[in-house]
């Protein structure tokens, strides 16, 4: 009715109520909107704690996020990075990327810390090393289209973009589900798998 997308409405709420430069407060403001106004497919606070724990345990210097959406997961990842780390995030929808860019910068993260790349993941991944300088990633967070999880994991493998001992964190593999990705991860012999039980966001 307003002529704006729900992602834009959420950003306007965040802009009006969140403290600029405070990533934690920006995430909490997003949560308030999603609990009380409109649902967004963000990571949310419950699964966010799992992401935070993995970041603390791994302390990755090079992080790749597939599926920026509104920038919630990006801010969550960026605030947990160790000093000198860099985050590359890929979003296929230019409208979502436009919102995410504003959210990321509002949270206080510069392009030196967080680089947002707009384009289909299957086109961007093969160019990550040559065009964006990502030699390999210590942590990959997958939160885009579930049907793309396996394809993109294989692309990362074939382009040698996974550092030795890299961690792949994939959201919603049970529901809505990414069964082929899950089967591959469990049976290919390259990965140790752990399923984190969690609720759907909000």
């Amino acid at each position: 009715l307003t002529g704006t997308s729900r992602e834009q409405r959420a950003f306007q709420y965040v802009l009006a109520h969140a403290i600029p430069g405070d990533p934690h407060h920006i995430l909490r403001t997003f949560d308030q909107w999603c609990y009380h106004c409109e649902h967004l497919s963000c990571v949310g606070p419950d699964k966010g704690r799992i992401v935070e724990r993995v970041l603390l345990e791994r302390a990755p210097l090079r992080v790749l996020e597939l599926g920026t959406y509104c920038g919630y997961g990006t801010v969550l990842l960026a605030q947990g990075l160790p000093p000198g780390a860099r985050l590359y995030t890929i979003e296929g929808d230019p409208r979502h990327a436009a919102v995410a860019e504003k959210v990321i910068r509002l949270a206080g993260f510069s392009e030196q810390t967080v680089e947002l790349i707009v384009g289909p993941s299957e086109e961007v991944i093969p160019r990550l090393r040559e065009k964006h300088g990502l030699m390999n990633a210590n942590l990959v967070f997958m939160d885009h289209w579930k049907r793309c999880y396996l394809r993109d994991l294989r692309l990362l493998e074939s382009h040698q973009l996974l550092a030795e001992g890299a961690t792949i964190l994939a959201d919603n593999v049970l529901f809505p589900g990414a069964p082929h990705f899950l089967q591959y991860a469990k049976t290919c012999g390259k990965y140790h798998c752990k399923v984190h039980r969690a609720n759907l966001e909000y």
Side-chain angles (χ1 to χ4, degrees):
L1 291 176
T2 63
T4 59
S5 68
R6 83 169 78 181
E7 293 80 16
Q8 290 171 316
R9 292 193 292 273
F11 173 70
Q12 291 302 322
Y13 180 84
V14 169
L15 194 60
H17 296 90
I19 301 169
D22 186 336
H24 181 77
H25 195 260
I26 283 171
L27 294 178
R28 298 294 76 79
T29 308
F30 258 116
D31 292 336
Q32 289 170 4
W33 172 267
C34 293
Y35 278 125
H36 303 297
C37 300
E38 293 181 278
H39 178 270
L40 294 176
S41 298
C42 301
V43 179
D46 294 337
K47 289 188 287 186
R49 283 187 281 274
I50 297 171
V51 176
E52 288 171 334
R53 189 169 71 244
V54 171
L55 283 167
L56 195 61
E57 290 170 357
R58 305 296 185 195
L61 288 175
R62 296 174 304 278
V63 178
L64 174 64
E65 179 186 32
L66 302 178
T68 317
Y69 190 42
C70 291
Y72 184 106
T74 315
V75 171
L76 180 69
L77 289 164
Q79 73 171 357
L81 292 177
R86 186 163 169 78
L87 168 60
Y88 301 80
T89 182
I90 301 172
E91 174 53 49
D93 188 325
R95 295 165 301 175
H96 293 163
V99 173
E101 180 79 41
K102 291 182 277 193
V103 170
I104 294 163
R105 305 312 166 206
L106 184 68
F109 298 109
S110 69
E111 291 184 8
Q112 283 66 47
T113 302
V114 178
E115 181 178 350
L116 172 59
I117 306 164
V118 184
S121 56
E122 72 270 23
E123 295 178 12
V124 173
I125 288 171
R127 303 197 310 260
L128 280 172
R129 181 176 288 117
E130 182 182 332
K131 189 171 180 182
H132 301 281
L134 175 60
M135 300 311 292
N136 52 44
N138 308 111
L139 174 69
V140 178
F141 182 47
M142 293 186 167
D143 194 17
H144 57 326
W145 293 107
K146 313 311 159 207
R147 65 176 181 270
C148 301
Y149 279 16
L150 179 56
R151 180 202 66 196
D152 288 351
L153 178 59
R154 285 178 163 161
L155 272 176
L156 291 169
E157 291 174 348
S158 64
H159 288 85
Q160 299 178 327
L161 286 165
L162 298 176
E164 188 175 349
T167 299
I168 313 292
L169 195 57
D171 193 19
N172 294 336
V173 293
L174 297 180
F175 184 84
H180 300 300
F181 166 85
L182 209 53
Q183 182 183 21
Y184 176 77
K186 287 179 176 180
T187 60
C188 71
K190 301 175 186 177
Y191 305 100
H192 298 286
C193 291
K194 180 180 180 181
V195 175
H196 298 269
R197 298 285 173 175
N199 296 319
L200 279 179
E201 57 276 358
Y202 311 113

